[in-house]
């Protein structure tokens, strides 16, 4: 295991550079505890044995580079990120199970913030979390913004109540070779840049802010949208799908 712990002085900056010779590494833990004392980890290219990532930001920021760029994280099962006391937790692009094998890998991501105005979690924003041979389940909650880059998997499930009324949680493209399930609630707005699925898509919105889907690509069998419990609007920019929508 590897634990990277932030400093306790406001001028203590921890910057590891790239992590190498990490083929046998099973767990990665990053923590911060002091304002002005960030934790920065560069790339962790070889993640063949990595099963869990835990990033706990309190006061100080946490930032990582790409994980699994050359030795992909084929057994990565959990990512747990939390941000409190105005911490910003940013994880880089993560490449998980991309190899077709007898045992496919399911990835669960839990992202939680407190109610401080600047507490925020960015999961591969501008990049991607890729788990093409298994599922991705994202659970996001708390009073701060939680945003992600592209999410690619067999099935993708996103459940989010994250954000205050001034926040917009942005999820880039969701690309699923099977089903997409989205459930949004709470005071924060949610924006999905693009949804691309190959089977069913189920969207449930009960939030007080808007749920915006910029583009739905063709290829989905059936799309079901339920906003009966919402006071915020559901806005779809372009729906190119030729399947049934209800």
């Amino acid at each position: 295991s590897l634990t990277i712990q932030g400093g306790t002085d406001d001028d203590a900056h921890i910057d590891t550079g790239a992590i190498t010779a990490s083929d046998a590494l099973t767990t990665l833990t990053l923590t911060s505890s002091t304002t002005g004392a960030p934790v920065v980890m560069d790339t962790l290219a070889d993640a063949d044995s990595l099963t869990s990532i835990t990033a706990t930001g309190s006061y100080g920021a946490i930032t990582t580079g790409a994980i699994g760029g050359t030795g992909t994280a084929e057994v990565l099962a959990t990512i747990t990120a939390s941000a409190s006391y105005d911490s910003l937790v940013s994880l880089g692009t993560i490449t998980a199970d991309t190899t077709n094998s007898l045992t496919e890998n399911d990835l669960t991501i839990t992202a939680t913030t407190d109610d401080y105005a600047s507490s925020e979690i960015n999961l591969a924003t501008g990049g991607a979390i890729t788990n093409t041979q298994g599922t991705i389940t994202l659970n996001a909650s708390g009073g701060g913004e939680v945003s992600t880059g592209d999410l690619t998997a067999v099935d993708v499930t996103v459940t989010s109540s994250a954000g205050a009324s001034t926040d917009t949680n942005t999820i880039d493209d969701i690309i699923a070779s099977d089903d997409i399930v989205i459930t949004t609630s709470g005071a924060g707005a949610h924006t999905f840049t693009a949804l691309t699925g190959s089977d069913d898509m189920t969207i449930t919105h009960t939030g007080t802010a808007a749920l915006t889907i910029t583009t739905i690509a063709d290829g989905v069998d059936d799309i079901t949208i339920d906003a009966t419990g919402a006071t915020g609007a559901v806005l779809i920019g372009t729906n190119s799908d030729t399947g049934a929508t209800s």
Side-chain angles (χ1 to χ4, degrees), residues 28-57:
L28 173 64
T29 303
L30 307 105
T31 62
S32 68
S33 61
T34 304
T35 301
V39 173
V40 179
M41 186 194 81
D42 203 340
T43 57
L44 193 156
D46 193 344
D48 281 328
S49 303
L50 191 65
T51 62
S52 68
I53 300 169
T54 303
T56 305

Side-chain angles (χ1 to χ4, degrees), residues 35-110:
T35 301
V39 173
V40 179
M41 186 194 81
D42 203 340
T43 57
L44 193 156
D46 193 344
D48 281 328
S49 303
L50 191 65
T51 62
S52 68
I53 300 169
T54 303
T56 305
S58 179
Y59 294 99
I62 295 175
T63 305
T64 79
I67 296 172
T70 54
T72 55
E74 305 291 333
V75 293
L76 181 62
T78 60
I79 300 171
T80 304
S82 64
S84 59
Y85 299 107
D86 292 330
S87 175
L88 171 60
V89 174
S90 299
L91 304 183
T93 287
I94 298 170
T95 307
D97 190 358
T98 59
T99 302
N100 191 6
S101 63
L102 294 176
T103 302
E104 308 301 1
N105 185 67
D106 294 335
L107 174 60
T108 299
I109 306 168
T110 304

Side-chain angles (χ1 to χ4, degrees), residues 153-242:
V154 176
D155 296 324
V156 178
T157 302
V158 175
T159 302
S160 178
S161 59
S165 59
T166 55
D167 292 323
T168 298
N169 306 281
T170 301
I171 289 83
D172 289 340
D173 297 359
I174 291 182
I175 304 165
S177 57
D178 197 10
D179 296 334
I180 296 174
V181 178
I182 295 170
T183 304
T184 53
S185 60
H190 291 80
T191 296
F192 292 80
T193 304
L195 304 178
T196 303
S198 297
D199 196 359
D200 294 332
M201 184 181 300
T202 304
I203 301 168
T204 305
H205 180 54
T206 59
T208 56
L211 166 61
T212 302
I213 300 168
T214 306
T215 301
I216 298 177
D218 192 15
V220 181
D221 285 346
D222 297 302
I223 302 173
T224 303
I225 301 173
D226 182 358
T228 55
T231 55
V234 175
L235 307 172
I236 298 175
T238 301
N239 181 3
S240 298
D241 189 66
T242 55

